[in-house]
């Protein structure tokens, strides 16, 4: 069992040290095929079924660059206010790891496709922080290792490991910030806000599904501390593959308190990778961090350089969609929101989800109602951010449409949403599988009403006597008998008709 590291009170950390952050975000692109071969790019599937000689690194197999992936990289670069390289090339990043079949990763090193950009992010109180972008470069993903027999799912203590190369070769864009300084006590919040803003931006570009739960958006958080009178950055650690927005904030905060305790105690920080533990919010040691020299980068001999023409870049610039901050200004005016109301929606992570739901045909009122009430409840219950729920704005819009068509009641609609969140398919599929259609056959409803009235003759007499509100008991019984699949308004009409009021 790993001993829990000593930590320092956060307020004391801020008194003694200045944090320095560096965030590396890996984005899997939603192309149809992989980065350098024609294999299907799709999450899941039976292990080792989306593979070929090229992505398995077999002798003699040659890569070919995916043009749509290059286009996605340029669009990301433009959205991040980057310069787009007129000439760039791939390199081999050499290191051994079992889930990387070639023993090197095809990546970009000193000649990335996009560089020198920035992204402005808004904190919960409305303060705007500019995050400088060092680079956004293209590379390929690795496979996945499944460690079997241990208590933690990691290699330590496992009896054996299984390898799935379906993900090997999936197009990745790695977005690397310049050192982020001057954030003080808000450093963890800034880290979360940046990854949140980046996720929203990538979703708007439609280049990735940004599903952190499926690994299509992953953050590596580099953290170091400088004493107040220091002039050089401290030694950094890199917490790998943090897979939720909340965890990004927790990982940064924990590393600050852990490193501070070591430094004040006279120790030194080891430059290493670390793993974030979701259960208790701590990090644990991974491996000593390599330097660029350790990777022995050299130009990829099997791929030609990429030279995007200025005409193509400008053409892509002209196809850029409405970006999240532009959309927020527009919807604030259209929905007549105050700055405070808009900020509340932004802090809840709801504004872009609501706007996207409206874009799919829902009314603003219905979209807001679902995202800020029932779906927010489900997110809180699951301990995830609203945007991390396994439901899309298009699916929410479809549920709203089904209610509007009279095919679902609000109660049934919540069951449909529950089914979508549980991975049971699209809303219409959940309706079919769970048999959640509204009972609209009046003959069936008449039968249920007559049975409820017969079972409650005293209630029927009260209704006849003018106490119309008593009909609620009969309506409730009918709804129970039909498992909530009747339209309560129609049932009430039939009750009053049957008792002759």
């Amino acid at each position: 069992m790993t001993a829990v590291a000593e930590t320092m009170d956060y307020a004391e950390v801020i008194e003694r040290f200045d944090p320095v952050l560096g965030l590396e975000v890996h984005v899997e692109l939603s192309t149809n095929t992989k980065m350098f071969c024609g294999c299907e790019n799709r999450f899941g599937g039976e292990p080792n079924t989306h593979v070929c000689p090229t992505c398995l690194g077999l002798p003699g197999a040659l890569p070919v660059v995916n043009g749509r992936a290059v286009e996605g990289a340029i669009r990301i670069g433009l959205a991040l206010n980057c310069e787009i390289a007129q000439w760039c090339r791939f390199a081999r990043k050499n290191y051994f790891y079992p889930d990387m079949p070639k023993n090197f990763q095809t990546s970009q090193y000193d000649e990335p496709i996009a560089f020198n950009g920035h992204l402005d992010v808004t904190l919960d109180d409305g303060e705007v922080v500019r995050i400088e972008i060092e680079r956004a470069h293209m590379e390929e993903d690795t496979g996945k290792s499944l460690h079997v027999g241990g208590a933690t799912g990691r290699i330590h203590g496992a009896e054996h490991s299984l390898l799935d190369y379906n993900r090997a070769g999936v197009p990745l864009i790695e977005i690397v910030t310049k050192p982020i300084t001057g954030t003080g006590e808000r450093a963890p919040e800034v880290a979360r806000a940046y990854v949140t803003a980046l996720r929203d931006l990538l979703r708007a570009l439609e280049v990735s599904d940004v599903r952190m739960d499926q690994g299509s958006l992953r953050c590596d958080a580099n953290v170091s501390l400088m004493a107040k009178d220091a002039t050089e950055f401290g030694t950094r650690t890199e917490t790998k593959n943090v897979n939720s927005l909340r965890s990004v904030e927790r990982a940064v905060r924990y590393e600050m308190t852990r490193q501070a305790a070591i430094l004040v105690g006279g120790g030194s920080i080891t430059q290493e990778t670390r793993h974030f533990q979701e259960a208790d919010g701590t990090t644990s040691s991974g491996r000593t961090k390599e330097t660029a020299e350790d990777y022995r980068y050299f130009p990829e001999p099997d791929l030609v350089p990429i030279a995007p023409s200025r005409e193509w870049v400008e053409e892509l610039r002209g196809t850029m969609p409405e970006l999240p901050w532009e959309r927020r200004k527009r919807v604030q005016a259209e929905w007549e929101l105050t700055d405070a109301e808009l900020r509340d929606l932004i802090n809840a992570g709801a504004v872009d989800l609501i706007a996207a739901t409206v874009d799919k045909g829902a009314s603003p009122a219905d979209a807001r109602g679902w995202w800020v009430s029932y779906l927010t409840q489900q997110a809180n219950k699951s301990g995830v951010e609203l945007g991390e729920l396994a439901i899309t704005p298009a699916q929410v819009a479809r549920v709203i449409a089904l209610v509007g068509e009279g095919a679902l009641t609000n109660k049934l609609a919540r069951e449909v949403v529950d089914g979508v969140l549980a991975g049971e398919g699209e809303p219409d599929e959940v309706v079919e599988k769970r048999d959640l259609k509204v009972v609209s056959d009046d003959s069936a409803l008449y039968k249920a009403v007559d049975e409820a009235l017969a079972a409650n003759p005293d209630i029927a007499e009260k209704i006849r006597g003018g106490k119309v509100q008593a009909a609620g008991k009969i309506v409730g019984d009918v709804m129970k008998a039909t498992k909530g699949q009747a339209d309560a308004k129609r049932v009430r009409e039939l009750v009053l008709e049957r008792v002759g009021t």
Side-chain angles (χ1 to χ4, degrees):
M1 187 174 179
T2 304
V4 177
E6 182 181 351
T7 59
M8 179 183 288
D9 179 74
Y10 190 72
E12 187 177 354
V13 175
I14 299 305
E15 285 181 11
R16 290 172 170 263
F17 299 97
D18 290 321
V20 179
L21 306 181
L23 300 172
E24 303 170 13
V25 174
H26 295 79
V27 186
E28 287 185 349
L29 299 182
S30 300
T31 53
N32 292 327
T33 56
K34 292 185 180 181
M35 187 72 202
F36 301 114
C37 66
C39 288
E40 183 179 16
N41 176 18
R42 179 168 58 85
F43 178 79
E46 288 297 313
N48 300 307
T49 55
H50 304 161
V51 295
C52 72
T54 299
C55 55
L56 289 176
L58 299 183
L62 292 174
V64 177
V65 174
N66 185 327
R68 292 304 296 270
V70 175
E71 178 181 315
I74 294 173
R75 285 165 60 82
I76 290 171
L78 291 172
L80 292 173
N81 304 291
C82 288
E83 298 177 46
I84 305 302
Q86 297 191 41
W87 188 95
C88 64
R89 60 181 172 179
F90 287 96
R92 290 189 180 184
K93 182 180 181 182
N94 297 274
Y95 63 101
F96 171 77
Y97 209 72
D99 58 16
M100 194 167 62
K102 298 183 295 189
N103 287 341
F104 66 84
Q105 180 186 32
T106 305
S107 181
Q108 291 188 308
Y109 175 47
D110 56 344
E111 298 163 309
I113 192 166
F115 54 94
N116 287 343
H118 67 265
L119 180 63
D120 291 331
V121 302
T122 304
L123 305 186
D124 289 351
D125 62 356
E127 180 184 347
V128 176
V129 177
R130 173 160 291 189
I131 305 298
E132 301 288 344
I133 305 296
E134 176 73 34
R135 57 197 279 140
H137 66 259
M138 298 179 288
E139 60 186 23
E140 60 181 338
D141 213 340
T142 60
K144 290 195 295 186
S145 299
L146 176 65
H147 305 298
V148 181
T152 64
R154 300 195 182 280
I155 194 168
H156 300 293
E159 296 174 356
H160 63 277
S161 297
L162 301 174
L163 296 173
D164 178 7
Y165 291 116
N166 280 349
R167 197 177 67 182
V170 165
L172 273 185
I173 304 298
E174 182 176 353
I175 302 166
V176 182
T177 69
K178 295 179 180 181
I180 303 169
T181 60
T183 56
E185 65 179 348
R186 306 195 76 172
E189 181 187 352
V190 168
R192 173 179 56 80
Y194 167 71
V195 179
T196 302
L198 196 56
R199 181 202 60 182
D200 294 344
L201 174 62
L202 295 165
R203 182 185 287 126
L205 293 174
E206 298 184 341
V207 294
S208 173
D209 64 10
V210 292
R211 290 281 298 274
M212 296 188 81
D213 59 315
Q214 294 183 357
S216 54
L217 181 70
R218 310 190 292 272
C219 178
D220 298 342
N222 292 271
V223 179
S224 67
L225 295 177
M226 297 174 62
K228 290 291 185 179
D229 58 352
T231 57
E232 296 183 359
F233 294 160
T235 301
R236 64 185 171 89
T237 62
E238 180 181 9
T239 303
K240 299 287 287 184
N241 295 334
V242 186
N243 61 4
S244 78
L245 300 174
R246 177 170 173 263
S247 294
V248 170
E249 183 170 6
R250 294 172 71 203
V252 169
R253 187 183 183 95
Y254 176 79
E255 268 303 287
M256 289 171 61
T257 61
R258 186 190 70 85
Q259 291 184 23
I262 292 173
L263 293 171
V264 171
S268 58
I269 305 301
T270 301
Q271 183 170 323
E272 62 181 351
T273 63
R274 296 184 67 84
H275 302 295
F276 181 70
Q277 311 297 328
E278 291 282 353
D280 59 8
T282 64
T283 66
S284 60
S285 181
R287 56 182 168 82
T288 301
K289 180 63 177 172
E290 295 89 346
T291 63
E293 289 75 17
D294 295 323
Y295 290 125
R296 306 186 325 279
Y297 282 101
F298 64 85
E300 168 56 70
D302 291 334
L303 290 169
V304 298
I306 295 172
S309 70
R310 297 303 90 181
E311 292 78 15
W312 185 35
V313 172
E314 291 308 310
E315 180 183 331
L316 291 176
R317 193 191 302 275
T319 66
M320 296 291 280
E322 182 181 41
L323 298 179
W325 44 91
E326 296 167 343
R327 170 180 284 180
R328 288 166 189 165
K329 288 180 181 178
R330 174 175 59 81
V331 301
Q332 181 178 13
E334 290 180 356
W335 301 348
E336 298 180 343
L337 299 174
T338 65
D339 289 344
E341 289 172 333
L342 178 65
R343 189 159 58 246
D344 286 343
L345 291 179
I346 292 173
N347 293 344
V351 63
D352 293 325
L353 295 168
I354 295 168
T357 306
V358 172
D359 289 345
K360 296 297 182 181
S363 72
D366 286 337
R368 287 175 66 185
W370 274 99
W371 284 108
V372 302
S373 57
Y374 190 70
L375 288 166
T376 293
Q377 293 170 16
Q378 300 313 299
N380 292 338
K381 190 182 300 183
S382 301
V384 300
E385 300 284 342
L386 189 61
E388 293 169 2
L389 287 174
I391 190 167
T392 66
Q395 290 169 328
V396 174
R398 179 56 183 158
V399 172
I400 292 171
L402 289 170
V403 173
E405 294 166 5
L408 294 176
T409 63
N410 285 328
K411 179 177 182 298
L412 293 177
R414 287 191 288 272
E415 289 191 50
V416 173
V417 168
D418 290 342
V420 174
L421 293 173
E424 296 175 19
E426 294 295 317
D428 291 280
E429 294 174 315
V430 175
V431 170
E432 194 67 31
K433 289 176 183 176
R434 295 195 177 194
D435 190 23
L436 297 176
K437 296 174 183 174
V438 167
V439 176
S440 55
D441 179 4
D442 275 2
S443 61
L445 292 179
Y446 274 126
K447 182 174 182 295
V449 167
D450 289 343
E451 290 174 354
L453 289 170
N456 298 275
D458 54 330
I459 301 295
E461 284 303 317
K462 286 182 180 179
I463 298 171
R464 289 190 185 95
K467 295 184 178 180
V468 179
Q469 65 271 24
K473 170 67 168 70
I474 305 299
V475 172
D477 287 352
V478 172
M479 295 302 292
K480 190 173 183 180
T482 59
K483 299 179 180 178
Q485 292 177 243
D487 181 342
K489 182 179 178 182
R490 180 57 179 157
V491 171
R492 180 179 175 81
E493 291 172 353
L494 295 181
V495 170
L496 297 179
E497 177 185 325
R498 279 307 205 214
V499 297
T501 61

